[in-house]
Amino acid sequence: MGAKKLKLACSPAILLMAAAVVLGNTYAQQPAKAKEQDAPIAVKFTDIRKAAGITFKQDSTQTEERYYLETMGTGVGWIDYDQDGLMDLYFVQSGPTDIYKPPTPLRSALYHNNGDGTFTDVTEKAGVAGEGHYGQGVAVGDFDNDGYPDLYVTGYGRAILYHNNGNGTFTDVTAKAGVADEGNWSTSAGWFDYDKDGYLDLVVTNYIEWSPQNNLWCGERRPGYRSYCNPNNYKGQKTKLYHNNHDGTFTDVSDKSGVGKPESKGMGVVLADFNGDGWTDIAIANDTWPNFLFLNNHDGTFRDVSLISGLAASEDGKYEAGMGIDAADVDGDGLLDVYVTHLDLELNRLYHNNGDETFTDVTYKSGIGNKAVLLSGVAAKFIDYDNDGWMDILQLNGAMLDNVNLYHGEISYKEPLLMFRNLGQGRFEKTSDALGPDFMKPVAGRGLATADFDNDGDIDIATNNRGDNPELLRNDGGNANHWLEVLLIGTQSNRDGIGAVLKLTSEGFAHVEQAEGGTSYMSASDPRIHFGLGKRTKIDSLVITWPSGRVDKLTDVPVDKIIAVKEGTGIIPHPFPKVPVK
């Protein structure tokens, strides 16, 4: 459907504003008044996987040898691969090992969104099965700015880059591109433009030096008690940063940039501007290892401020089992706060951004505390599930050990999803029980990605579960509040607009969002920027600061719409067909 073109300004005053953002952290200032909390609305999540025709099943490849590799993955990604305005789904699959030979070949799966509530498996036609590849995660980004998003699939021993040909098919260009990450165990990955040259670069997190040859026996030596080992038994690998050369190839700049120097045990990554200087930084959740924060020096290098920032450890100085990670402004001060998930008997941590390149652990102060201490947090996403204007915390859970209850009787292998609703100013309450039986179904969750797959204005959920079918949880009720979604189309900036800052002002309230790379755990979510508006019915302005430095100000912005905004032009026509509810 066409959208009316909105007023767009790029005056000298606006350009000065852009400079202020970079130099003075303008978008981190407090709004004129704190947003009042709206009365809660009723939201339920309904699992429509079967009705949607999604038959994919993750293979755990589990054996009695308890290969470490078996328990970690796999991820899921949303990608509008054919640019029809509907988000399609990609599920990452595991693969054979030297002792596990599946009866039928294992393959990842791409499902096309048909726009009627169903999906069609188009894997074979698309050429993205990855047969024989022990997949782990997925990152989505348009690395060559041709208007069609590409797929990067991480995995054990190597990764795969699939180039989108724009005709429903993909080509494996890994060898030419030079991003195979050969010999490593890659987990999560994310696209971002760290040097602002208009092309997306690639960060890849790698895990540990494990192989079948050094697989240890962990747990008690009696039948049924063997367990997967702690990562402290293995040396960590290193983070990779690949610079986009604009010609379909990449250069490994991991060491030169500083990102690849420290040993890591990388699990999740989020790419965003954490200090408000207009340049994208890197935050990584590490497993039993200090979390990383690399701040962008604007010259192709990064400063490792992990320890002094306060993000490296918990409030009591512990390095916990970091898995999933995401960033969002949870308290309305315009700065990105960080959430990191951990395993059972540890706390999931919320870190408040102090605005001075440091963070404070506010896990208890926020009301989260130990409310999920018996759950194993694997993946997490900040979403505004009820569109009230405050970012909530969605967490996917599932123990690493399928026999965990033999060691801890109060802990289960399969666990329900978790939702912390933001009550305003970064105070949370647990609302999982109110979101329906499908939301509370126990799973061994691994990959988590969110999207408005039916284009109805509220955020839906896809999971990839170990040894089981995935879930496709439709949000029913979130669009009772008002909303806006924005698809960014860069011109001077990278095509995806990753790194852009969006400031929406509505009836005196300001809401800041960033177009981030990475997030969650081994997964990729809807690239469209989502704003919940609560009961507010008018948007005063939407100011977009692009990575190029250009600032576009739009006025008379509609509510309850998905809009496509092109850098330097404004809103342009783009189809976003609404999927009927069955």
Side-chain angles (χ1 to χ4, degrees):
M1 64 180 177
K4 72 173 183 178
K5 187 173 179 180
L6 301 185
K7 300 175 186 175
L8 177 74
C10 191
S11 65
I14 293 295
L15 292 173
L16 285 173
M17 178 180 170
V21 168
V22 173
L23 298 175
N25 201 14
T26 297
Y27 65 78
Q29 295 176 1
Q30 288 276 4
K33 55 181 176 177
K35 182 187 175 300
E36 297 175 0
Q37 182 66 20
D38 294 319
I41 60 173
V43 176
K44 302 288 184 184
F45 286 90
T46 305
D47 188 359
I48 64 166
R49 177 194 62 82
K50 287 184 180 178
I54 294 173
T55 59
F56 175 85
K57 187 174 183 179
Q58 203 266 2
D59 192 321
S60 67
T61 73
Q62 184 162 320
T63 67
E64 291 303 314
E65 292 300 310
R66 298 287 177 157
Y67 275 8
Y68 204 130
L69 180 64
E70 298 167 1
T71 192
M72 302 306 295
T74 50
V76 57
W78 290 100
I79 173 173
D80 183 5
Y81 75 93
D82 55 357
Q83 290 296 284
D84 63 354
L86 293 162
M87 299 304 299
D88 311 299
L89 258 179
Y90 185 75
F91 293 100
V92 181
Q93 183 60 283
S94 56
T97 68
D98 59 340
I99 58 173
Y100 180 78
K101 307 299 180 185
T104 57
L106 299 180
R107 63 174 199 168
S108 297
L110 177 64
Y111 284 89
H112 177 260
N113 187 337
N114 299 323
D116 60 0
T118 68
F119 288 74
T120 299
D121 187 335
V122 294
T123 311
E124 185 175 353
K125 176 187 176 184
V128 291
E131 192 173 309
H133 177 235
Y134 203 113
Q136 291 287 270
V138 58
V140 176
D142 183 1
F143 75 83
D144 58 353
N145 292 334
D146 66 354
Y148 289 91
D150 310 297
L151 283 169
Y152 186 75
V153 185
T154 62
Y156 179 75
R158 64 185 177 94
I160 302 173
L161 178 60
Y162 291 111
H163 175 258
N164 190 334
N165 300 319
N167 60 1
T169 70
F170 291 75
T171 300
D172 183 343
V173 296
T174 315
K176 176 190 175 185
V179 291
D181 198 33
E182 200 77 38
N184 287 314
W185 179 353
S186 52
T187 53
S188 293
W191 297 96
F192 75 142
D193 183 6
Y194 75 89
D195 55 356
K196 294 192 178 187
D197 64 356
Y199 284 80
L200 290 178
D201 311 298
L202 180 65
V203 170
V204 182
T205 63
N206 290 303
Y207 192 38
I208 56 173
E209 296 289 349
W210 174 90
S211 72
Q213 289 70 43
N214 67 9
N215 191 56
L216 303 174
W217 182 297
C218 292
E220 298 181 29
R221 287 187 176 269
R222 52 175 170 151
Y225 276 77
R226 185 171 184 177
S227 65
Y228 296 101
C229 294
N230 187 292
N232 285 328
N233 290 285
Y234 299 94
K235 178 179 171 56
Q237 296 186 327
K238 295 190 175 184
T239 306
K240 288 287 187 179
L241 176 58
Y242 295 98
H243 177 261
N244 191 328
N245 299 324
H246 312 175
D247 60 0
T249 70
F250 291 76
T251 298
D252 185 343
V253 295
S254 309
D255 291 339
K256 178 182 177 182
S257 67
V259 169
K261 290 182 179 179
E263 180 182 343
S264 68
K265 297 180 180 181
M267 288 274 91
V269 61
V270 60
L271 308 166
D273 178 8
F274 291 103
N275 59 358
D277 65 357
W279 294 72
T280 305
D281 311 305
I282 304 170
I284 295 174
N286 285 310
D287 192 357
T288 67
W289 201 256
N291 299 320
F292 291 159
L293 179 61
F294 297 106
L295 295 181
N296 197 322
N297 290 327
H298 314 171
D299 62 0
T301 67
F302 291 80
R303 285 183 291 137
D304 184 351
V305 299
S306 307
L307 295 174
I308 62 174
S309 72
L311 269 186
S314 63
E315 187 176 25
D316 52 358
K318 294 180 179 178
Y319 303 139
E320 297 173 304
M323 302 281 287
I325 187 170
D326 200 5
D329 175 16
V330 302
D331 51 8
D333 64 0
L335 292 164
L336 293 184
D337 310 297
V338 176
Y339 188 74
V340 181
T341 66
H342 300 106
L343 298 187
D344 52 75
L345 306 181
E346 298 178 335
L347 301 185
N348 304 292
R349 300 286 175 177
L350 178 63
Y351 296 94
H352 174 261
N353 190 330
N354 300 320
D356 60 359
E357 301 184 353
T358 70
F359 291 78
T360 300
D361 185 339
V362 293
T363 303
Y364 276 99
K365 182 180 178 182
S366 67
I368 293 172
N370 62 357
K371 292 178 181 176
V373 70
L374 296 181
L375 298 177
S376 291
V378 178
K381 276 291 295 174
F382 281 111
I383 65 169
D384 185 0
Y385 79 92
D386 55 358
N387 282 342
D388 68 350
W390 293 101
M391 296 300 285
D392 312 301
I393 297 172
L394 169 67
Q395 180 175 307
L396 178 66
N397 307 292
M400 294 293 110
L401 309 180
D402 62 318
N403 60 354
V404 65
N405 64 329
L406 296 179
Y407 290 91
H408 301 286
E410 72 277 26
I411 295 172
S412 300
Y413 171 53
K414 294 186 176 183
E415 300 169 340
L417 281 159
L418 176 69
M419 187 76 80
F420 286 114
R421 180 174 182 261
N422 194 333
L423 300 175
Q425 283 81 49
R427 296 172 295 111
F428 293 86
E429 69 173 358
K430 184 179 174 182
T431 57
S432 311
D433 294 343
L435 300 179
D438 289 347
F439 189 88
M440 293 300 294
K441 175 188 173 185
V443 295
R446 294 299 182 260
L448 170 70
T450 59
D452 182 7
F453 83 87
D454 49 6
N455 288 339
D456 68 349
D458 49 31
I459 301 300
D460 312 296
I461 302 167
T463 71
N464 201 351
N465 305 319
R466 181 176 185 249
D468 205 347
N469 296 115
E471 293 172 295
L472 178 55
L473 295 166
R474 186 186 65 210
N475 184 325
D476 295 326
N479 55 12
N481 279 327
H482 296 295
W483 54 275
L484 174 73
E485 290 177 22
V486 183
L487 175 68
L488 298 174
I489 302 174
T491 53
Q492 295 172 271
S493 305
N494 66 84
R495 174 81 182 208
D496 293 341
I498 294 177
V501 176
L502 295 81
K503 182 176 181 179
L504 181 147
T505 304
S506 171
E507 299 180 14
F509 302 106
H511 187 171
V512 176
E513 290 285 344
Q514 290 189 27
E516 302 171 359
T519 77
S520 190
Y521 172 80
M522 299 190 186
S523 299
S525 291
D526 193 334
R528 297 172 295 187
I529 309 301
H530 182 93
F531 292 94
L533 300 175
K535 303 304 179 186
R536 288 170 285 154
T537 59
K538 187 178 188 306
I539 295 172
D540 302 318
S541 67
L542 177 63
V543 178
I544 303 174
T545 304
W546 297 86
S548 67
R550 181 183 178 92
V551 177
D552 289 339
K553 181 176 181 180
L554 299 102
T555 57
D556 300 325
V557 181
V559 300
D560 300 337
K561 297 287 184 183
I562 307 175
I563 59 174
V565 180
K566 188 174 183 178
E567 183 178 8
T569 302
I571 284 193
I572 62 171
H574 194 289
F576 297 109
K578 187 174 178 179
V579 177
V581 177
K582 288 189 174 182

